Amino acid sequence: MTSAAQLPSTFANLRGPLDPGADRGGPRADRPGAAARATDPGPVGESVLRDLARRGTLAAEAAGAPPDKYARLAGTAYALAWPVVFNRVTRPVERRRGHWTCSIDVLRLADECLDGFHDDVEAVVSDLLVNAKTPIRNIEGWMSGRVTAVTIDGHRRRRGQRGALQRPRVPEWLAAELGRDAWLTQVALEILNWVGVPATAGAGVWPLESWARRRAAVTGDWTGSDPDAVAREVEVVLAAMRRRPKWYLDYVERPLGRKTAPVAPSTGDGAGGSRPLLSVAEHEVDEARLARLASAAVDALALGLSGGGDLTETVVRVIGTVFGSGTGGDELDRMPGSGSALDERVSALLADPRAVARIVASVRAIVVDVR
């Protein structure tokens, strides 16, 4: 049985005609033969697919099909689905984004918009081949009635796979940190949305030019809404987000790190090439790592002491294990000797009785509060 999880490989060849830089033979009347190439049904013809749908057996046929036949069924369904998706989902979304060129035609979609379009089409095709269990007289009409819910669900599922919030919302505590400023709150929402999509912003981390246009529309400040102004506001919002390190790590830093690293231009400093553009500074990475380790240490201490263990012995064991046994994997991207050397400092502290006494006193207060 072929599942929806196999769709990415199933469509690997089908995407070719629409890929940027290739002869993207999408369905345009001014390109001779384009429509024929885009809708070529292959070995499983359109009439066969429609007949299976009319009889209500399409889903059963797809579920029991071997991979090669499933791929042919999916290919034919793709040819029927993409015009529905472009007209009902892609075009309205691109217009709302201000991507007027992308909204004209499939062939005009920018790379990142094209990727989203393909993801939406695949979600609709998967839905058809899984849920077409009752007679369907008009496949396009059936898709149209479900396309919004299906593509939104697919979008949320992909965000979840990237570790981002599926339904981005600005939490109450963050709105309060931002003084409930309408535009800064909007920037926070834009950040939470942006980290969950695979698109990149060229050589930068954030799509500042796009956000600058949105800033002008929201605030009415057309002269002061430039990328530099937005960049400063992004830093204000990120600083507020980092006041809850675990939340920031989970919903901003981690999904952002799953994007393809942007390519930075050469610095021309004679250092043998350009340095990669980092989404956060090294000290921020260190702080986030320490916050994670501290949380794990508190849990381990509470567990160890709940069984009546000796406080000093438990503290030395847990602190030494959690903070002093790093593998160095977190510092592989840094120059030799530039790391934090946390394990060495922890070992030195635990070897000093006075330092141990101070740590034990601090831990006693923390664990008592936690318990």
Side-chain angles (χ1 to χ4, degrees):
M1 174 178 176
T2 305
S3 67
Q6 294 172 283
L7 280 174
S9 59
T10 298
F11 287 115
N13 295 324
L14 295 174
R15 289 190 175 200
L18 293 175
D19 280 343
D23 180 17
R24 303 196 293 179
R28 281 196 359 187
D30 60 350
R31 186 185 289 270
R37 289 197 302 275
T39 59
D40 178 9
V44 176
E46 181 181 321
S47 61
V48 174
L49 187 78
R50 291 187 184 278
D51 183 61
L52 290 169
R54 275 193 296 269
R55 290 190 282 120
T57 59
L58 178 55
E61 186 75 16
D68 58 339
K69 184 175 181 180
Y70 183 91
R72 295 195 298 272
L73 282 169
T76 304
Y78 195 98
L80 300 178
W82 77 255
V84 174
V85 172
F86 184 79
N87 289 306
R88 295 293 304 275
V89 177
T90 308
R91 177 174 280 137
V93 166
E94 298 302 333
R95 286 176 176 170
R96 287 197 297 271
R97 290 174 175 171
H99 295 186
W100 301 106
T101 300
C102 292
S103 72
I104 295 172
D105 190 274
V106 171
L107 299 176
R108 301 294 190 89
L109 287 170
D111 293 358
E112 64 273 15
C113 300
L114 182 65
D115 287 340
F117 165 73
H118 280 305
D119 287 337
D120 289 339
V121 177
E122 290 173 10
V124 171
V125 170
S126 174
D127 179 62
L128 174 69
L129 298 183
V130 170
N131 293 311
K133 300 174 182 178
T134 57
I136 299 173
R137 297 182 62 84
N138 182 341
I139 292 179
E140 290 87 347
W142 188 88
M143 289 177 176
S144 295
R146 300 168 61 89
V147 66
T148 301
V150 168
T151 53
I152 289 175
D153 181 69
H155 177 67
R156 289 173 178 168
R157 186 169 56 252
R158 290 190 297 274
R159 289 184 63 88
Q161 290 170 349
R162 299 177 67 83
L165 291 169
Q166 293 191 28
R167 301 183 183 185
R169 297 286 189 276
V170 177
E172 176 65 22
W173 66 266
L174 181 55
E177 289 281 359
L178 298 173
R180 305 193 185 283
D181 181 90
W183 169 242
L184 292 180
T185 302
Q186 180 65 34
V187 172
L189 184 60
E190 296 293 344
I191 289 172
L192 293 175
N193 272 312
W194 177 251
V195 299
V197 299
T200 58
V205 176
W206 311 106
L208 297 177
E209 291 188 6
S210 173
W211 291 355
R213 292 192 295 270
R214 193 162 302 172
R215 182 188 192 277
V218 170
T219 66
D221 181 12
W222 297 93
T223 57
S225 295
D226 56 38
D228 289 339
V230 176
R232 291 190 294 270
E233 290 162 342
V234 166
E235 287 305 317
V236 170
V237 174
L238 292 176
M241 289 177 166
R242 292 184 190 115
R243 291 182 185 126
R244 297 208 176 179
K246 185 178 186 305
W247 184 92
Y248 177 77
L249 173 68
D250 289 342
Y251 300 122
V252 179
E253 183 177 328
R254 184 175 291 125
L256 184 63
R258 291 193 170 99
K259 286 181 181 285
T260 301
V263 179
S266 174
T267 59
D269 59 1
S274 59
R275 299 183 63 187
L277 179 64
L278 300 177
S279 61
V280 292
E282 288 183 357
H283 74 275
E284 294 169 346
V285 175
D286 290 338
E287 288 174 2
R289 177 179 172 233
L290 284 173
R292 295 197 304 272
L293 293 176
S295 177
V298 169
D299 291 342
L301 287 165
L303 180 62
L305 295 174
S306 65
D310 178 75
L311 177 59
T312 300
E313 180 184 346
T314 302
V315 166
V316 171
R317 174 172 51 81
V318 170
I319 298 298
T321 301
V322 174
F323 291 94
S325 58
T327 64
D330 293 313
E331 300 176 357
L332 288 176
D333 59 338
R334 304 186 186 183
M335 293 291 292
S338 65
S340 62
L342 176 64
D343 54 345
E344 296 178 6
R345 296 204 301 274
V346 169
S347 297
L349 286 172
L350 295 181
D352 181 351
R354 289 176 297 180
V356 170
R358 290 196 302 271
I359 295 172
V360 169
S362 298
V363 167
R364 180 182 288 109
I366 294 172
V367 172
V368 167
D369 288 343
V370 170
R371 296 170 65 185

